[in-house]
Amino acid sequence: MITVAIPKGGLLKDSIRLLQSVGLDFRAFLDSGTRQLQIIDASGRAKGLLVRAQDVPVYVDYGQAQLGIVGYDVLREKKPNVAHLVDLKFGYCRLSVAVKESSSYRSSLDLPAQIRIASKYVNSARDYFQNLDLPVEIIPLSGSVELGPITGISEAIVDIVSTGRTLKENGLIEIETLYESTARLIAHPLSYRLNTGNMGDFISKMRQEMVVSI
Amino acid sequence: MITVAIPKGGLLKDSIRLLQSVGLDFRAFLDSGTRQLQIIDASGRAKGLLVRAQDVPVYVDYGQAQLGIVGYDVLREKKPNVAHLVDLKFGYCRLSVAVKESSSYRSSLDLPAQIRIASKYVNSARDYFQNLDLPVEIIPLSGSVELGPITGISEAIVDIVSTGRTLKENGLIEIETLYESTARLIAHPLSYRLNTGNMGDFISKMRQEMVVSI
């Protein structure tokens, strides 16, 4: 039996639907009443483990889950040692540079050297500005990054944007996109090579699902 | 005018009360209806900035706030470059090692080498076990650490305990305490030396409050 790490939050519904389409029923995780964290599928072939989105690659990296579903943004930021298998197409968002709408900056190269940039995605932000050869000061915030320019701790931010509403509400505009993100199917590399619990079967079914849905 | 970084969450109420006792009224942050993040005290001597607890030392470290209130646990884990001024006595909790109650481990030295230990406090946990000369594998989880032994990703955890109820509900027991934590008043070192906005005045009043309350 394999274990699949399933992310709480925004990707949960689509993840459950995808797993159902390949014959694994973990819909009980969607009952708001349940506090279950582990469910064994009726077929007995897989166990679902409900964890925080950030922790999905940790469970897969340490081999506690053989498969997992997680946003590309988390993989890009944390660089866990997992195999990236399938782009699942749902959960679209992007990591963007944003500044005050009232500022004169309209591209990353307009930003002055040593500018302060607040972000939860410190590794992604650092890599991006290093590639631009622009020395900046990254301010690591744990949340509400869009408030950086309002509180004055930073002139720009690097943050996840999906609809763009949060930026708008805070008088910010996107000036550049670092990368786009969707949900990914990931695997524990060794389990993947050994085809533990016949997991290759689920993986090829998910790949087919993706082809059909395009 | 100085800026005081005030933590959302568990320390908020006591922080507001303390600031009130030294003549700064930021009670408007307690109105659940308000979405205000910045309030200027009626006296015009200080501005309150409501931020995530984890981000309080970031705002103080970067000089965007001259004073801040934050748990010792955050300071110990993140080691920001801020001056620790006053132990405010409220917000007691402790960082502890916990294991399954059904295990045979009753102290940290009972733990076998290479044991897996899940924690949000990876730096504190690493330092602790290095001092014990016990090589362990720290698993960095972002939340729900108490589930580590249930999901099987770790045999032990290092986590914050206040009442102990969460541990009990998950069949875990504390076997060792790394350190105890209470709320602390912190300052931006340079602003403190320069006595920006006459901040020394507020600090000595808070010190007196602490003496009186004992």
Side-chain angles (χ1 to χ4, degrees), chain A residues 9 30 33 60 86 88 91 107 149 162 186:
Chain A
L30 294 174
V60 175
V86 186
L88 302 174
S107 87
S162 40
I186 59 171

Side-chain angles (χ1 to χ4, degrees), chain B residues 95-109:
Chain B
L95 191 70
S96 295
V97 182
V99 295
K100 275 191 176 171
E101 200 165 1
S102 58
S103 79
S104 61
Y105 312 129
R106 285 302 173 265
S107 86
S108 292
L109 291 172

Side-chain angles (χ1 to χ4, degrees), chain A residues 139-154:
Chain A
I139 316 269
L141 290 184
S142 70
S144 305
V145 173
E146 67 279 5
L147 304 177
I150 294 175
T151 59
I153 201 171
S154 75

Side-chain angles (χ1 to χ4, degrees), chain B residues 135-208:
Chain B
V136 300
E137 191 168 10
I138 309 286
I139 316 271
L141 290 184
S142 69
S144 305
V145 173
E146 68 278 6
L147 304 176
I150 294 175
T151 59
I153 200 171
S154 75
E155 290 90 46
I157 64 171
V158 165
D159 205 13
I160 287 292
V161 181
S162 41
T163 63
R165 215 182 61 189
T166 306
L167 292 185
K168 208 165 184 182
E169 286 176 355
N170 289 285
L172 301 173
I173 53 160
E174 261 177 290
I175 58 169
E176 211 95 49
T177 296
L178 280 67
Y179 53 76
E180 301 187 310
S181 173
T182 48
R184 302 295 159 98
L185 180 70
I186 58 171
H188 181 244
L190 184 61
S191 305
Y192 179 60
R193 282 204 298 281
L194 298 176
N195 196 24
T196 306
N198 211 14
M199 62 197 273
D201 195 30
F202 295 116
I203 297 165
S204 44
K205 276 185 190 153
M206 284 194 220
R207 281 213 174 93
Q208 278 163 28

Side-chain angles (χ1 to χ4, degrees), chain A residues 55 59 62 64 137 142 151-152, chain B residues 55 59 62 64 137 142 151-152:
Chain A
D55 292 338
Y59 275 86
Y62 286 88
Q64 197 60 29
E137 191 168 9
S142 70
T151 59
Chain B
D55 292 339
Y59 275 86
Y62 286 88
Q64 196 61 29
E137 191 168 10
S142 69
T151 59

Side-chain angles (χ1 to χ4, degrees), chain A residues 35-108:
Chain A
R35 286 185 63 189
Q36 276 186 288
L37 297 154
Q38 306 189 53
I39 296 174
I40 294 178
D41 169 70
S43 70
R45 291 175 304 161
K47 181 166 81 173
L49 197 62
L50 188 64
V51 301
R52 290 202 183 194
Q54 297 266 342
D55 292 338
V56 164
V58 180
Y59 275 86
V60 175
D61 191 346
Y62 286 88
Q64 197 60 29
Q66 287 75 46
L67 287 177
I69 295 172
V70 65
Y72 175 71
D73 58 322
V74 176
L75 298 173
R76 179 83 175 243
E77 176 64 17
K78 305 268 180 189
K79 299 193 172 73
N81 182 24
V82 298
H84 298 211
L85 299 181
V86 186
D87 180 347
L88 302 174
K89 311 287 185 191
F90 59 82
Y92 173 82
C93 59
R94 54 192 182 272
L95 191 70
S96 294
V97 182
V99 295
K100 275 190 176 172
E101 199 164 2
S102 58
S103 80
S104 62
Y105 311 129
R106 287 300 174 267
S107 87
S108 293

Side-chain angles (χ1 to χ4, degrees), chain A residues 110-186:
Chain A
D110 291 342
L111 300 175
Q114 307 309 336
I115 192 175
R116 284 181 169 187
I117 298 183
S119 190
K120 269 184 284 191
Y121 289 75
V122 291
N123 297 323
S124 301
R126 192 178 300 113
D127 291 353
Y128 172 73
F129 287 103
Q130 267 175 5
N131 282 340
L132 289 184
D133 218 2
L134 182 66
V136 299
E137 191 168 9
I138 308 286
I139 316 269
L141 290 184
S142 70
S144 305
V145 173
E146 67 279 5
L147 304 177
I150 294 175
T151 59
I153 201 171
S154 75
E155 290 90 47
I157 64 172
V158 166
D159 206 12
I160 286 292
V161 181
S162 40
T163 63
R165 217 181 60 189
T166 305
L167 292 185
K168 206 163 186 183
E169 285 176 355
N170 289 285
L172 301 172
I173 52 160
E174 262 177 289
I175 59 171
E176 211 96 49
T177 296
L178 279 68
Y179 52 75
E180 301 188 309
S181 173
T182 47
R184 302 296 159 98
L185 180 70
I186 59 171

Side-chain angles (χ1 to χ4, degrees), chain B residues 72-92:
Chain B
Y72 174 72
D73 59 321
V74 176
L75 298 172
R76 179 82 174 244
E77 176 65 17
K78 305 269 180 187
K79 298 193 174 70
N81 182 24
V82 298
H84 298 211
L85 299 181
V86 187
D87 180 348
L88 302 173
K89 310 290 185 188
F90 59 81
Y92 173 83

